[in-house]
Amino acid sequence: MGRKITVAVSTLNQWALDFEGNLARILQSIMEAKDMGASYRTGPELEVSGYSCEDHFREPDTYLHSWEVLLEIMMSPICEHMLIDVGMPVMHRNVAYNCRVAFFNRKILLIRPKMSNCDDGNYRETRWFTPWTKALQTEDFYLPRMISQHTGQDTVPFGDAVIATRDTCIGYEICEELWNVKSKHIDMSLSGVEIIVNSSGSYMELRKAHITTDLIRNASFKAGGAYLFSNLRGCDGQRVFFNGCSAIALNGEIIGRGKQFSLQDVEVTLATIDLEEIRAYRVAQRSRCSMAASAPTYPRINCDFEMSTHCDIFKTASTPMQWIYHTPEEEIAMGPACWLWDYLRRSGQGGFFLPLSGGVDSSSSATIVHSMCRMIVSAVQSGDPQVLHDIRKILADHEYTPDNPAALCNRLLVTCFMGSVNSSKETRRRASQLASQLGSYHIEISIDTAVNALLGIFNAVTGLTPRFRTQGGCARQNLALQNIQSRIRMVLAYIFAQLMLWVRNRPGGLLVLGSANVDESLRGYLTKYDCSSADVNPIGGISKTDLRRFLCYAKDKYNLPILESIIEAPPTAELEPLQDGQLMQTDEQDMGMTYAELSEYGRLRKQSCCGPYSMFCRLVATWKGDLSPKEVADKVKHFFRCYAINRHKMTVLTPSVHAESYSPDDNRFDHRPFLYRANWSWQFKAIDDEVDKLQPIYTPSTSAHARPSTDDLLSSQESTHRSSSHHHHHHHHHQHQQSDSKHSSPLSTSSVDVATASTATPLGTAPSGSLGALGKKSSGYAKVHVNVLGKIKDRTGIPV
């Protein structure tokens, strides 16, 4: 017969500049593909060097070592009688390109450079690579001498061409070219290319896995033919988690697909394709045929190889499969867990240390480590030798075989409740119960003696002792007393992380885990250099709303009943004194906005590219049922002031797994300044002018609950009520989202910012949010007048 071909796509967990490991994983994928009967193997983008080499792509060494690795692969007997391509950087005429190098039986057939580079999201490809712009053209590429002496070739074709075997035709589309508005697969398919191959470095974002699959399916549906997609997976040295999901599509249906999350370093996905199905599908599309008849011809590189065999009549072609996507909760459980595993085993550390406050955020970080332990046990039980080797190396125990996630968690994770006089009994109990249900090695310490020692040093120099506002202190004293607690926790976290394995008679140290969520980072609701400062942060790219959903999922999935009371507790930093043993400080009240509102601001600012004026215009429409234009204006201004004053904190943000599309991660994902004019004078005037125009035509809605007045705007209870009607988030009342002791209070400003409030500022005009328990209403929530914001002056004396 000679018309069925078996092809393989590879999912590899590569590591930037790990040429030795990358070579081994590429060879393993070729060997597995060959053993399973494939005659063609492709792999992910830049698999030879690793994708995230970044400015190392400007170093000649990176190109030299990539050619050395390619030579090893080409010369290996494993690769004989198989058509193979690998991804690597290539410099042609002093210009660097991101390429596929296709070879067969020790001869290079074609070097195909990428024609559309990606510069959005976390990608910055044109910083290192130039797109190839000469469509349908190739040039002679002069091979390095070390390659020529083994292949006997001096030059090979470089450019936009396709490969013709005896039985079919193969063309390349590299990563972004599939996403590009003028994808190459259309032109190639019209020119008779039957198999289109895409090597990719596509990373995880929550709720986005379906997009790639849809693009692959639709490409093969519209153009006809087979589409082969190989992707990286794992942490290769940067903040992103590459998403796996390598897939093979035929005529609009997925017929083979790899996993999204797995600890496997090499996963090969195969499909058997009947070439006649492609031909029948295409010839039946009449409008396509008339386009194809006049389509420009691609240069074809001939390869004297039959991918099919003549005795394939009994071979069965792969059939369409239904793909089930992970829920966002499962993505949070597995994505950051796999990323942490890669980071742990490649960093050479012995486990993790986590300050555990008993709130939603730190509990989520702990639960993700527990999820990682479950994945390790499961991988070892299914016989993955690499995972077993790695865990034995991390634990310095070459006899150990993990069989119980909680027991493994006890070896890998040390949790620590860092209590103070301001900690409630409930949070201590929740932290300790969670630790025992997860299995972590748990300790409890008191930070009071350290805090008092530092205050003693301050008093010895100045003769003064700062007081909390409840004891008559001003806003600056109150803030400083909260921040000292947060920062001492960071210092203690590092000394315990460095010495806990010594205490437990094991070599090495622990990585300190952070637990500030994406919304708090955006608002700056964390103290600079407190226990939000850590080595890595598994949840720094995830919103509070999603973390609460994740804990609801984990409670049942991992049998952790204590999570119920953690989810229901009001989020609090516990940095101010308790009153009669009762909690007086809550996060949403401190922030002057709800977590649901923060999510909305974050998406508008980042994804919708809204400045203050545009955001106001969007939200006036969205929130018209609940808020007057003036109230919306006050909320938007409050957000932008807080964002501006606290943006400097993003420069020292602990690296976290990228997960949410509105992440404020400084200088990588979110390129914005960190010093702002915090009164936004021009922008806010535009909003005020708009409010004046709208005031006469605005008619309040007759919604069931009384709309809060401007005076009550920042009062937490009402703003939580409002959020539940503006958002489709499941925000019930205020009893939720316990957050961590990692926060500072209120404005969480640096000392420079705090100094901007005039010393003589009366208590009632302190920066918004730092009023906490002031002016109690019967509801127990603070009534903060919005005008306080106008009383802060910046260093030029202009009111903020």
Side-chain angles (χ1 to χ4, degrees), residues 142-165:
Y142 288 81
L143 286 170
R145 283 161 295 180
M146 63 175 178
I147 304 289
S148 297
Q149 65 191 50
H150 286 90
T151 67
Q153 300 167 288
D154 292 320
T155 61
V156 292
F158 183 102
D160 186 20
V162 296
I163 293 172
T165 62

PDB file of all heavy atoms in Angstrom, residues 142-165:
ATOM      1  N   TYR A 142      26.693  28.333   5.024  1.00  0.00           N
ATOM      2  CA  TYR A 142      28.013  27.695   5.099  1.00  0.00           C
ATOM      3  C   TYR A 142      28.163  27.023   6.457  1.00  0.00           C
ATOM      4  O   TYR A 142      28.156  27.684   7.491  1.00  0.00           O
ATOM      5  CB  TYR A 142      29.112  28.740   4.863  1.00  0.00           C
ATOM      6  CG  TYR A 142      29.161  29.164   3.410  1.00  0.00           C
ATOM      7  CD1 TYR A 142      28.265  30.117   2.915  1.00  0.00           C
ATOM      8  CD2 TYR A 142      30.045  28.560   2.515  1.00  0.00           C
ATOM      9  CE1 TYR A 142      28.270  30.478   1.573  1.00  0.00           C
ATOM     10  CE2 TYR A 142      30.058  28.917   1.160  1.00  0.00           C
ATOM     11  CZ  TYR A 142      29.167  29.872   0.706  1.00  0.00           C
ATOM     12  OH  TYR A 142      29.168  30.217  -0.628  1.00  0.00           O
ATOM     13  N   LEU A 143      28.252  25.706   6.422  1.00  0.00           N
ATOM     14  CA  LEU A 143      28.288  24.934   7.675  1.00  0.00           C
ATOM     15  C   LEU A 143      29.606  25.144   8.418  1.00  0.00           C
ATOM     16  O   LEU A 143      30.656  25.309   7.790  1.00  0.00           O
ATOM     17  CB  LEU A 143      28.120  23.440   7.370  1.00  0.00           C
ATOM     18  CG  LEU A 143      26.712  22.991   6.977  1.00  0.00           C
ATOM     19  CD1 LEU A 143      26.749  21.562   6.476  1.00  0.00           C
ATOM     20  CD2 LEU A 143      25.744  23.114   8.142  1.00  0.00           C
ATOM     21  N   PRO A 144      29.546  25.100   9.767  1.00  0.00           N
ATOM     22  CA  PRO A 144      30.791  25.128  10.535  1.00  0.00           C
ATOM     23  C   PRO A 144      31.667  23.943  10.114  1.00  0.00           C
ATOM     24  O   PRO A 144      31.156  22.856   9.796  1.00  0.00           O
ATOM     25  CB  PRO A 144      30.325  24.967  11.986  1.00  0.00           C
ATOM     26  CG  PRO A 144      28.885  25.342  11.988  1.00  0.00           C
ATOM     27  CD  PRO A 144      28.355  25.009  10.626  1.00  0.00           C
ATOM     28  N   ARG A 145      32.989  24.136  10.166  1.00  0.00           N
ATOM     29  CA  ARG A 145      33.898  23.073   9.699  1.00  0.00           C
ATOM     30  C   ARG A 145      33.714  21.765  10.476  1.00  0.00           C
ATOM     31  O   ARG A 145      33.810  20.687   9.920  1.00  0.00           O
ATOM     32  CB  ARG A 145      35.347  23.557   9.806  1.00  0.00           C
ATOM     33  CG  ARG A 145      35.722  24.516   8.670  1.00  0.00           C
ATOM     34  CD  ARG A 145      36.944  25.334   9.004  1.00  0.00           C
ATOM     35  NE  ARG A 145      36.690  26.236  10.124  1.00  0.00           N
ATOM     36  CZ  ARG A 145      37.583  27.087  10.635  1.00  0.00           C
ATOM     37  NH1 ARG A 145      38.799  27.135  10.117  1.00  0.00           N
ATOM     38  NH2 ARG A 145      37.289  27.871  11.626  1.00  0.00           N
ATOM     39  N   MET A 146      33.416  21.897  11.781  1.00  0.00           N
ATOM     40  CA  MET A 146      33.277  20.658  12.570  1.00  0.00           C
ATOM     41  C   MET A 146      32.091  19.815  12.088  1.00  0.00           C
ATOM     42  O   MET A 146      32.068  18.602  12.257  1.00  0.00           O
ATOM     43  CB  MET A 146      33.129  20.980  14.058  1.00  0.00           C
ATOM     44  CG  MET A 146      31.890  21.763  14.386  1.00  0.00           C
ATOM     45  SD  MET A 146      31.755  21.952  16.160  1.00  0.00           S
ATOM     46  CE  MET A 146      30.294  22.920  16.307  1.00  0.00           C
ATOM     47  N   ILE A 147      31.102  20.460  11.457  1.00  0.00           N
ATOM     48  CA  ILE A 147      29.967  19.709  10.908  1.00  0.00           C
ATOM     49  C   ILE A 147      30.346  19.166   9.519  1.00  0.00           C
ATOM     50  O   ILE A 147      30.151  17.983   9.221  1.00  0.00           O
ATOM     51  CB  ILE A 147      28.709  20.617  10.792  1.00  0.00           C
ATOM     52  CG1 ILE A 147      28.352  21.242  12.145  1.00  0.00           C
ATOM     53  CG2 ILE A 147      27.524  19.818  10.228  1.00  0.00           C
ATOM     54  CD1 ILE A 147      27.802  20.298  13.182  1.00  0.00           C
ATOM     55  N   SER A 148      30.923  20.045   8.682  1.00  0.00           N
ATOM     56  CA  SER A 148      31.287  19.638   7.313  1.00  0.00           C
ATOM     57  C   SER A 148      32.143  18.386   7.288  1.00  0.00           C
ATOM     58  O   SER A 148      31.939  17.491   6.461  1.00  0.00           O
ATOM     59  CB  SER A 148      32.086  20.750   6.619  1.00  0.00           C
ATOM     60  OG  SER A 148      31.287  21.885   6.496  1.00  0.00           O
ATOM     61  N   GLN A 149      33.121  18.308   8.210  1.00  0.00           N
ATOM     62  CA  GLN A 149      34.038  17.167   8.125  1.00  0.00           C
ATOM     63  C   GLN A 149      33.355  15.842   8.440  1.00  0.00           C
ATOM     64  O   GLN A 149      33.850  14.789   8.083  1.00  0.00           O
ATOM     65  CB  GLN A 149      35.272  17.390   9.003  1.00  0.00           C
ATOM     66  CG  GLN A 149      34.985  17.451  10.486  1.00  0.00           C
ATOM     67  CD  GLN A 149      36.210  17.939  11.264  1.00  0.00           C
ATOM     68  OE1 GLN A 149      36.810  18.950  10.926  1.00  0.00           O
ATOM     69  NE2 GLN A 149      36.592  17.197  12.302  1.00  0.00           N
ATOM     70  N   HIS A 150      32.153  15.917   9.075  1.00  0.00           N
ATOM     71  CA  HIS A 150      31.419  14.673   9.346  1.00  0.00           C
ATOM     72  C   HIS A 150      30.324  14.403   8.315  1.00  0.00           C
ATOM     73  O   HIS A 150      29.983  13.251   8.078  1.00  0.00           O
ATOM     74  CB  HIS A 150      30.802  14.717  10.751  1.00  0.00           C
ATOM     75  CG  HIS A 150      31.815  14.549  11.846  1.00  0.00           C
ATOM     76  ND1 HIS A 150      32.473  15.611  12.427  1.00  0.00           N
ATOM     77  CD2 HIS A 150      32.309  13.431  12.434  1.00  0.00           C
ATOM     78  CE1 HIS A 150      33.308  15.166  13.347  1.00  0.00           C
ATOM     79  NE2 HIS A 150      33.234  13.835  13.363  1.00  0.00           N
ATOM     80  N   THR A 151      29.765  15.463   7.741  1.00  0.00           N
ATOM     81  CA  THR A 151      28.647  15.238   6.805  1.00  0.00           C
ATOM     82  C   THR A 151      29.105  15.295   5.350  1.00  0.00           C
ATOM     83  O   THR A 151      28.367  14.860   4.463  1.00  0.00           O
ATOM     84  CB  THR A 151      27.550  16.319   6.990  1.00  0.00           C
ATOM     85  OG1 THR A 151      28.089  17.576   6.579  1.00  0.00           O
ATOM     86  CG2 THR A 151      27.076  16.409   8.422  1.00  0.00           C
ATOM     87  N   GLY A 152      30.288  15.867   5.119  1.00  0.00           N
ATOM     88  CA  GLY A 152      30.750  16.019   3.742  1.00  0.00           C
ATOM     89  C   GLY A 152      30.038  17.134   2.997  1.00  0.00           C
ATOM     90  O   GLY A 152      30.198  17.311   1.798  1.00  0.00           O
ATOM     91  N   GLN A 153      29.202  17.920   3.724  1.00  0.00           N
ATOM     92  CA  GLN A 153      28.497  19.023   3.072  1.00  0.00           C
ATOM     93  C   GLN A 153      29.209  20.337   3.409  1.00  0.00           C
ATOM     94  O   GLN A 153      29.608  20.541   4.549  1.00  0.00           O
ATOM     95  CB  GLN A 153      27.054  19.121   3.603  1.00  0.00           C
ATOM     96  CG  GLN A 153      26.204  17.873   3.387  1.00  0.00           C
ATOM     97  CD  GLN A 153      24.920  17.956   4.217  1.00  0.00           C
ATOM     98  OE1 GLN A 153      24.954  17.836   5.436  1.00  0.00           O
ATOM     99  NE2 GLN A 153      23.789  18.158   3.542  1.00  0.00           N
ATOM    100  N   ASP A 154      29.329  21.218   2.434  1.00  0.00           N
ATOM    101  CA  ASP A 154      29.897  22.537   2.734  1.00  0.00           C
ATOM    102  C   ASP A 154      28.793  23.567   2.982  1.00  0.00           C
ATOM    103  O   ASP A 154      28.887  24.404   3.859  1.00  0.00           O
ATOM    104  CB  ASP A 154      30.789  23.021   1.578  1.00  0.00           C
ATOM    105  CG  ASP A 154      32.037  22.164   1.470  1.00  0.00           C
ATOM    106  OD1 ASP A 154      32.596  21.813   2.533  1.00  0.00           O
ATOM    107  OD2 ASP A 154      32.422  21.808   0.345  1.00  0.00           O
ATOM    108  N   THR A 155      27.744  23.488   2.152  1.00  0.00           N
ATOM    109  CA  THR A 155      26.607  24.407   2.328  1.00  0.00           C
ATOM    110  C   THR A 155      25.311  23.609   2.342  1.00  0.00           C
ATOM    111  O   THR A 155      25.234  22.520   1.773  1.00  0.00           O
ATOM    112  CB  THR A 155      26.516  25.428   1.164  1.00  0.00           C
ATOM    113  OG1 THR A 155      26.313  24.723  -0.057  1.00  0.00           O
ATOM    114  CG2 THR A 155      27.762  26.291   1.067  1.00  0.00           C
ATOM    115  N   VAL A 156      24.314  24.180   3.013  1.00  0.00           N
ATOM    116  CA  VAL A 156      22.960  23.572   3.025  1.00  0.00           C
ATOM    117  C   VAL A 156      21.947  24.696   2.823  1.00  0.00           C
ATOM    118  O   VAL A 156      22.250  25.867   3.094  1.00  0.00           O
ATOM    119  CB  VAL A 156      22.672  22.825   4.354  1.00  0.00           C
ATOM    120  CG1 VAL A 156      23.547  21.601   4.491  1.00  0.00           C
ATOM    121  CG2 VAL A 156      22.821  23.740   5.563  1.00  0.00           C
ATOM    122  N   PRO A 157      20.729  24.374   2.343  1.00  0.00           N
ATOM    123  CA  PRO A 157      19.726  25.423   2.135  1.00  0.00           C
ATOM    124  C   PRO A 157      19.261  26.014   3.477  1.00  0.00           C
ATOM    125  O   PRO A 157      19.010  25.272   4.437  1.00  0.00           O
ATOM    126  CB  PRO A 157      18.565  24.706   1.438  1.00  0.00           C
ATOM    127  CG  PRO A 157      19.077  23.365   1.039  1.00  0.00           C
ATOM    128  CD  PRO A 157      20.246  23.054   1.920  1.00  0.00           C
ATOM    129  N   PHE A 158      19.134  27.336   3.534  1.00  0.00           N
ATOM    130  CA  PHE A 158      18.679  28.057   4.728  1.00  0.00           C
ATOM    131  C   PHE A 158      17.548  28.974   4.289  1.00  0.00           C
ATOM    132  O   PHE A 158      17.738  29.794   3.380  1.00  0.00           O
ATOM    133  CB  PHE A 158      19.840  28.891   5.284  1.00  0.00           C
ATOM    134  CG  PHE A 158      19.521  29.632   6.564  1.00  0.00           C
ATOM    135  CD1 PHE A 158      19.967  29.143   7.786  1.00  0.00           C
ATOM    136  CD2 PHE A 158      18.796  30.820   6.554  1.00  0.00           C
ATOM    137  CE1 PHE A 158      19.697  29.830   8.975  1.00  0.00           C
ATOM    138  CE2 PHE A 158      18.516  31.505   7.740  1.00  0.00           C
ATOM    139  CZ  PHE A 158      18.969  31.002   8.957  1.00  0.00           C
ATOM    140  N   GLY A 159      16.358  28.831   4.860  1.00  0.00           N
ATOM    141  CA  GLY A 159      15.266  29.732   4.484  1.00  0.00           C
ATOM    142  C   GLY A 159      13.906  29.071   4.460  1.00  0.00           C
ATOM    143  O   GLY A 159      13.675  28.045   5.111  1.00  0.00           O
ATOM    144  N   ASP A 160      13.006  29.657   3.699  1.00  0.00           N
ATOM    145  CA  ASP A 160      11.595  29.269   3.682  1.00  0.00           C
ATOM    146  C   ASP A 160      11.360  28.209   2.608  1.00  0.00           C
ATOM    147  O   ASP A 160      11.034  28.525   1.468  1.00  0.00           O
ATOM    148  CB  ASP A 160      10.753  30.519   3.403  1.00  0.00           C
ATOM    149  CG  ASP A 160       9.259  30.260   3.508  1.00  0.00           C
ATOM    150  OD1 ASP A 160       8.869  29.261   4.145  1.00  0.00           O
ATOM    151  OD2 ASP A 160       8.473  31.061   2.953  1.00  0.00           O
ATOM    152  N   ALA A 161      11.562  26.950   2.981  1.00  0.00           N
ATOM    153  CA  ALA A 161      11.382  25.844   2.024  1.00  0.00           C
ATOM    154  C   ALA A 161      10.685  24.702   2.745  1.00  0.00           C
ATOM    155  O   ALA A 161      10.482  24.746   3.958  1.00  0.00           O
ATOM    156  CB  ALA A 161      12.740  25.403   1.480  1.00  0.00           C
ATOM    157  N   VAL A 162      10.327  23.668   1.974  1.00  0.00           N
ATOM    158  CA  VAL A 162       9.670  22.485   2.554  1.00  0.00           C
ATOM    159  C   VAL A 162      10.442  21.244   2.116  1.00  0.00           C
ATOM    160  O   VAL A 162      11.287  21.312   1.218  1.00  0.00           O
ATOM    161  CB  VAL A 162       8.188  22.408   2.120  1.00  0.00           C
ATOM    162  CG1 VAL A 162       7.417  23.605   2.658  1.00  0.00           C
ATOM    163  CG2 VAL A 162       8.039  22.323   0.604  1.00  0.00           C
ATOM    164  N   ILE A 163      10.143  20.122   2.775  1.00  0.00           N
ATOM    165  CA  ILE A 163      10.878  18.879   2.486  1.00  0.00           C
ATOM    166  C   ILE A 163       9.943  17.900   1.786  1.00  0.00           C
ATOM    167  O   ILE A 163       8.851  17.598   2.307  1.00  0.00           O
ATOM    168  CB  ILE A 163      11.435  18.271   3.780  1.00  0.00           C
ATOM    169  CG1 ILE A 163      12.515  19.205   4.351  1.00  0.00           C
ATOM    170  CG2 ILE A 163      12.013  16.876   3.535  1.00  0.00           C
ATOM    171  CD1 ILE A 163      13.015  18.813   5.716  1.00  0.00           C
ATOM    172  N   ALA A 164      10.388  17.409   0.620  1.00  0.00           N
ATOM    173  CA  ALA A 164       9.586  16.427  -0.125  1.00  0.00           C
ATOM    174  C   ALA A 164      10.233  15.056   0.038  1.00  0.00           C
ATOM    175  O   ALA A 164      11.369  14.845  -0.396  1.00  0.00           O
ATOM    176  CB  ALA A 164       9.529  16.819  -1.588  1.00  0.00           C
ATOM    177  N   THR A 165       9.519  14.129   0.690  1.00  0.00           N
ATOM    178  CA  THR A 165       9.984  12.737   0.732  1.00  0.00           C
ATOM    179  C   THR A 165       9.378  12.047  -0.492  1.00  0.00           C
ATOM    180  O   THR A 165       8.659  12.670  -1.272  1.00  0.00           O
ATOM    181  CB  THR A 165       9.520  12.037   2.023  1.00  0.00           C
ATOM    182  OG1 THR A 165       8.089  12.014   2.028  1.00  0.00           O
ATOM    183  CG2 THR A 165      10.017  12.771   3.266  1.00  0.00           C
TER     184      THR A 165
END
